[in-house]
Amino acid sequence: MNEFIEFRNRVYDHESNDSYPLQFLDEYINNSKAINSDETRVIEQIRTIKQLELNKQLSEKEIDELISFLGEHSSTDRFIVDAVLNLFNDEIKQIAERKIKDILLNQQYDGQKLYHVLDICIECGIDILGDNDILFMLQQYELDLEIASILLDYMDRFKRPGFKDAIYKLLTLDYPDGIKIQGINLLMNLYPMETVDQSFVEKHIRNEKNKVFIDSYMDFLKTDFAFEKQGTSILQAMFYGDFEDSGKGNSGGLAVLLKGLGEEISKDSRISHVFTITITQELNKPFISFYGDKHVFIRLPIYLDQSVRDKFIKRELFIKRQIANYLNRSEIKPDVFHIRFLDNASKAVAHLSKDLNSKLVFTLTPDPHRNMFDGSGQLKELGFNELIEKLNKIKIGDELIRTSDGIVGIGNGDVKTELAVYFPQFKDDTVNGKIEMIGEGIQTGQSIDVEAIAAYSNRLIEWNETNKGFFEKPVILNVGRLAVLKGQMELLKAWSNSKLSETHNLLIIGGDLERPSKEEEMVMEFFKSFLQKHPQFKDRFIHRGAMSNLDIRLLERDIIKRDFDYPHIYLCSSVKEEFGIAILEAMSIGFLTLGPIKGGVKSYMENGENGFLIDTSNGETIAEETEKHLYDSKIDKDAVKKIQAAGQKTVDENFSIQKISHEFVSFYLSLEGEKENEI
């Protein structure tokens, strides 16, 4: 029996959902070989916090204890603030005001504790800082970016004028663009009759890298921006990547999906607008972009510390407030919010949806649940911080199942059965009634304009000149963002150490060549080192940086035209894939597709029927299972063509973006209480 799944079922059969993380920690401690004194203290703090929540009341002594814990660990900080907000009332407000005054008067705080104290003040409407306190903190913590940011937020929340010079001075510092824009917002809010000094903006804010964003953002601030409301409006949160950067950094198939889905859903006459929001740190594109008349993409310039593992956990409430501010300024009140991740940014949007009395839809996947145990079903011996991080995500998932109005599972009934293994809440008829299983989709049968084809052809000529002979063999293609979990390094090992390198050339596309993340850099360095050690593969393995989705589709069409004894292969090497947009696109073009057996690909791919499912755990399994299928004497060229044709048929009949978008619209409208009618 799987220890993790067995334990979840045991807890949910006998205990409150809220007790799960603590119960798991107790179990983990009993089995763990190495928990040090600091980690034990954090666990004891979590135990105290959870018990206070279960008691549903806070006394002065308990508030003292909670505040004393602040600043020790990011997860306990989050739990403490949540506990205070969940149990907040007028009596607690009076106690909290006294305690916070004592802390500020005696300066009993560091930056971490101060941040969360101010966060609580903003959320609870406690305007406790005097003018001198604010000025002192602006000077004392001007190099602490998160404190500077939340002080600006505090002044904005409580409309505290009188700090114009201090704000301008702050904005002359070498701050990230997100904080500078926050300062500009504050000046505009506090002094609406005045214009921000344009020469100051030119000198200290605007530069060559961010001018496109800054210009469009300043236009937004100066314009009465409003979106006409006729019908149901949808907000879908992305948070990872950008529509225009698919394959770079953390921007993958989700960006391709949400771009196409938003465009298609917005064509429905019953839909007013689809708003897709992301958080951006690189301000090199416009603040707002339109995809079709009614799909609006908003890049929110919210500062996040990119050096920490979980950049959302500390800033959860700040993210909620900032999104609310942008929606309010644009007079946007979405009827339905749709979130897709188990993280604190998604939790922020969930809380905002409830604040606005909107409906909440949540796409549920068993991640990180699948990674809590090893191949034999035993609990993994995880590092303490990794364990706490995963438990936080599991806790968020459990909360969202309870608070959402609708739950989307990616795929078919088989995937729903798998979800029920990880989420024992599915036994509850109320929860089960919320669930709708919907696949993902792609643009099928789309026409491509002549100019795009001509531009691509020119790029292909350059490609062929620098990579002569590459396309004279069948190709193994892999497309997506570069990451360890995407398995590109294992794919390269598999290809080079097997017969695959004799029959096929390998093409991997993905990654930001100009501004690579640390993980992208590591993967690309592996590719470079590989070719240095194995020069015989120099002209037969190519890595290219991320390309636009249109160029990928054109390249795939170009490759598939070239006929050989062996088929062209699209091989998704991800350890697991929740669905696989790039797989669907390759299937639709006619590639022989191989996808990971772990995850949701099995909901549409059947071995030997329309593709092949393989074990992508490592390079050895990838090579062994790909060889088994590719060189199987029972599968001749005609049989392969039938599999390829079946793959195309699968996508055309079941996963066109038009079909999928109609399913989403029906689901959204059902939550709004509208009857579904054929268009």
Side-chain angles (χ1 to χ4, degrees), residues 41-287:
R41 188 173 68 255
V42 169
I43 292 169
E44 286 302 320
Q45 291 175 357
I46 292 174
R47 182 177 286 110
T48 300
I49 297 162
K50 300 312 295 180
Q51 191 57 54
L52 291 176
E53 284 189 319
L54 291 173
N55 293 342
K56 299 189 183 304
Q57 61 181 10
L58 293 177
S59 67
E60 183 166 351
K61 177 186 174 185
E62 288 160 341
I63 291 175
D64 250 343
E65 190 172 23
L66 288 179
I67 291 176
S68 72
F69 293 163
L70 277 175
E72 293 198 29
H73 194 279
S74 59
S75 290
T76 53
D77 287 345
R78 178 79 275 129
F79 296 159
I80 290 164
V81 174
D82 286 351
V84 171
L85 296 183
N86 289 338
L87 301 173
F88 191 76
N89 56 37
D90 289 340
E91 183 181 352
I92 290 173
K93 182 176 182 179
Q94 292 176 359
I95 299 171
E97 283 183 356
R98 290 203 311 273
K99 296 301 175 186
I100 292 169
K101 276 183 180 176
D102 290 343
I103 290 171
L104 297 176
L105 183 65
N106 299 315
Q107 296 185 12
Q108 299 169 343
Y109 52 81
D110 58 14
Q112 293 294 326
K113 178 173 286 193
L114 178 61
Y115 180 93
H116 291 293
V117 165
L118 294 177
D119 216 9
I120 291 171
C121 287
I122 294 169
E123 284 294 311
C124 297
I126 301 174
D127 185 7
I128 204 167
L129 297 182
D131 288 357
N132 289 335
D133 295 324
I134 292 175
L135 285 171
F136 170 77
M137 290 176 186
L138 286 173
Q139 293 168 0
Q140 183 77 10
Y141 293 97
E142 66 179 17
L143 299 182
D144 186 322
L145 299 179
E146 289 171 327
I147 293 290
S149 174
I150 204 160
L151 281 169
L152 295 175
D153 194 22
Y154 184 98
M155 288 186 275
D156 202 2
R157 166 67 175 84
F158 297 113
K159 298 295 178 278
R160 298 289 298 271
F163 300 98
K164 187 191 297 184
D165 291 343
I167 296 167
Y168 271 113
K169 182 181 177 184
L170 211 63
L171 298 183
T172 63
L173 300 176
D174 187 22
Y175 279 170
D177 289 335
I179 296 181
K180 294 204 171 191
I181 287 172
Q182 194 186 339
I184 294 295
N185 281 337
L186 177 59
L187 290 170
M188 299 277 284
N189 291 339
L190 293 180
Y191 311 102
M193 303 306 292
E194 302 177 25
T195 58
V196 175
D197 184 345
Q198 191 58 39
S199 63
F200 180 88
V201 172
E202 287 295 323
K203 185 174 181 181
H204 297 290
I205 310 292
R206 189 176 183 271
N207 56 53
E208 278 301 311
K209 289 183 179 179
N210 68 20
K211 64 182 180 181
V212 171
F213 185 95
I214 294 296
D215 289 348
S216 66
Y217 190 78
M218 295 303 287
D219 287 343
F220 165 76
L221 291 179
K222 295 171 188 174
T223 307
D224 290 332
F225 229 85
F227 297 93
E228 186 179 349
K229 183 84 164 65
Q230 289 182 341
T232 298
S233 58
I234 314 294
L235 183 142
Q236 48 182 13
M238 191 163 85
F239 294 143
Y240 297 90
D242 192 289
F243 285 173
E244 306 307 324
D245 289 333
S246 183
K248 296 181 180 179
N250 57 13
S251 185
L254 182 68
V256 176
L257 171 68
L258 295 191
K259 180 182 177 185
L261 191 61
E263 284 181 56
E264 205 60 41
I265 288 174
S266 67
K267 292 175 184 176
D268 192 298
S269 60
R270 297 162 295 181
I271 301 300
S272 170
H273 285 90
V274 177
F275 302 97
T276 304
I277 59 172
T278 192
I279 293 177
T280 184
Q281 307 297 309
E282 296 286 339
L283 306 188
N284 54 3
K285 300 177 183 68
F287 171 54

Side-chain angles (χ1 to χ4, degrees), residues 324-335:
N325 289 342
Y326 288 113
L327 296 182
N328 184 57
R329 187 183 286 273
S330 303
E331 298 183 16
I332 298 171
K333 186 181 180 300
D335 299 292

Side-chain angles (χ1 to χ4, degrees), residues 472-486:
E472 292 175 7
K473 270 188 174 184
V475 171
I476 295 176
L477 177 65
N478 176 284
V479 178
R481 61 187 183 86
L482 296 185
V484 173
L485 288 177
K486 292 298 181 181

Side-chain angles (χ1 to χ4, degrees), residues 1 22 87 216 234 285 317-318 357 453 539 602:
M1 179 64 180
L22 182 56
L87 301 173
S216 66
I234 314 294
K285 300 177 183 68
L317 295 171
F318 180 82
N357 295 315
I453 293 174
D539 297 321
K602 58 181 172 289

